[in-house]
Amino acid sequence: MKPLHVQAGEGDSEALREGVRRVIHALSRDAKVYGLALDANKEVVETSLATIAEQLILVEIRLDT
C-alpha cells in the first residue's frame, strides 16, 4: 500500500494561497466556482484571491509513488 499524505489548510496564509494557485492552474475552469478572477494567462488575480482567502479550506491528498 502506498503512503498517503493529507494536508489541510484554512484561513489566509501563503501556504493556502499557493495551494489554491496550484489547483486553479490545473483546473482553471473552476476559478469561477470559487469567485476567482483570472488574468490573460489564466493565473489567479491576487486581489480576487485576497477577497476570499479567509473563507477557504484547502485539503490536499497525495499518494507517494
Side-chain angles (χ1 to χ4, degrees):
M1 179 180 274
K2 296 179 181 180
L4 174 70
H5 295 276
V6 178
Q7 179 177 340
E10 66 178 296
D12 191 4
S13 70
E14 186 53 39
L16 178 122
R17 288 182 183 216
E18 184 56 37
V20 170
R21 289 184 203 104
R22 279 194 311 273
V23 169
I24 298 303
H25 183 75
L27 300 166
S28 60
R29 69 178 184 269
D30 289 356
K32 187 175 182 178
V33 173
Y34 300 107
L36 292 167
L38 300 178
D39 65 16
N41 296 318
K42 295 192 176 185
E43 299 295 330
V44 174
V45 174
E46 290 303 312
T47 54
S48 71
L49 181 53
T51 300
I52 67 165
E54 278 295 325
Q55 303 168 37
L56 296 177
I57 297 173
L58 179 68
V59 177
E60 295 182 280
I61 301 171
R62 183 181 67 233
L63 292 175
D64 287 344
T65 56

